[in-house]
Amino acid sequence: KRTFLYALYEALCFILTPILFSLYWLLDRIGGTFWRRVSLRMLSLLIKAIKLRVKIYGEENIPQSGPTLLVSNHISLLDIIIIKSIAHQKVHFLIRENIYNGFPFARYFFDSLSMIPIPAAFHPKALKKCFEEIRYRLQKGDTICFFPEGEISGNGNLMRFISGVRALLPKDGQQVNVIPIRLGMIGGRI
């Protein structure tokens, strides 16, 4: 069941997402960690200005460095900005290849947001190569975030997970921090 508050939230996300991504992209292009932090701070202030209150619980559990796999539900396009704002290092996001290639004008933004395209399951060789790249990035100590539902939920509730998550983990026994993230709305608060 969709509530009025959630419908309003979706409408705001639809309107603000291109603006927020453009702002992030512009400030990120200026370069450096300082401008990345400034852009994320500006985005969080803009989110507060539209009265979307973000409350974070357990931020201390997100490691400062080292290989990390962030596993989150997906409620809107703003999830990427919210997760980037709480992470302590650069986050790479997984995106379905058909979405990545389906919007040629947006590929530049997807690349600037560190998106990794995931091919469909009926391309096993490409999928295996992609999983190898993800495992390599984890071995380097990068942070990878993915949405195991595979799509944005229509009502903010958790949906069924897609299979294949275990294939993302390194096979050589390397320790990877796996951090679950729950995004949701409670009383108008994300």
Side-chain angles (χ1 to χ4, degrees):
K1 180 180 176 185
R2 295 168 65 100
T3 63
F4 172 75
L5 188 59
Y6 190 75
L8 178 64
Y9 170 71
E10 279 185 333
L12 286 172
C13 289
F14 181 76
I15 293 167
L16 290 177
T17 297
I19 296 168
L20 294 175
F21 282 159
S22 299
L23 180 64
Y24 177 82
W25 173 80
L26 179 66
L27 291 175
D28 190 49
R29 288 293 143 225
I30 293 173
T33 305
F34 171 76
W35 287 110
R36 185 173 293 118
R37 294 221 180 267
V38 166
S39 66
L40 289 173
R41 182 70 180 145
M42 289 175 67
L43 292 174
S44 66
L45 290 173
L46 189 56
I47 288 171
K48 286 178 186 176
I50 62 169
K51 304 297 185 205
L52 288 178
R53 294 170 289 169
V54 178
K55 182 71 175 166
I56 301 168
Y57 298 100
E59 185 177 4
E60 67 278 0
N61 296 322
I62 299 176
Q64 298 283 336
S65 62
T68 306
L69 193 60
L70 303 175
V71 183
S72 176
N73 64 318
H74 199 7
I75 61 172
S76 77
L77 295 174
L78 288 178
D79 299 347
I80 296 165
I81 293 173
I82 292 169
I83 291 171
K84 277 186 170 284
S85 69
I86 63 168
H88 303 293
Q89 54 188 14
K90 185 176 182 176
V91 180
H92 302 278
F93 290 88
L94 305 185
I95 183 172
R96 288 190 311 206
E97 191 175 55
N98 63 335
I99 295 173
Y100 182 83
N101 292 328
F103 301 100
F105 60 91
R107 283 181 68 175
Y108 194 69
F109 291 110
F110 292 150
D111 288 339
S112 71
L113 291 168
S114 304
M115 301 281 195
I116 301 171
I118 298 289
F122 53 84
H123 296 296
K125 288 182 182 178
L127 195 58
K128 183 179 178 182
K129 183 177 178 184
C130 183
F131 284 169
E132 287 172 3
E133 178 189 347
I134 292 167
R135 286 192 293 271
Y136 172 74
R137 287 178 186 254
L138 287 170
Q139 287 172 348
K140 284 185 4 185
D142 289 353
T143 298
I144 306 285
C145 179
F146 76 101
F147 306 104
E149 299 166 295
E151 60 184 291
I152 295 174
S153 67
N155 58 8
N157 294 329
L158 198 60
M159 299 183 342
R160 185 171 183 229
F161 285 10
I162 55 174
S163 61
V165 174
R166 177 164 275 211
L168 297 175
L169 296 173
K171 295 181 181 186
D172 61 2
Q174 176 192 9
Q175 293 294 325
V176 174
N177 300 306
V178 179
I179 309 293
I181 298 175
R182 182 200 176 269
L183 300 171
M185 291 186 63
I186 300 172
R189 180 171 292 187
I190 298 176

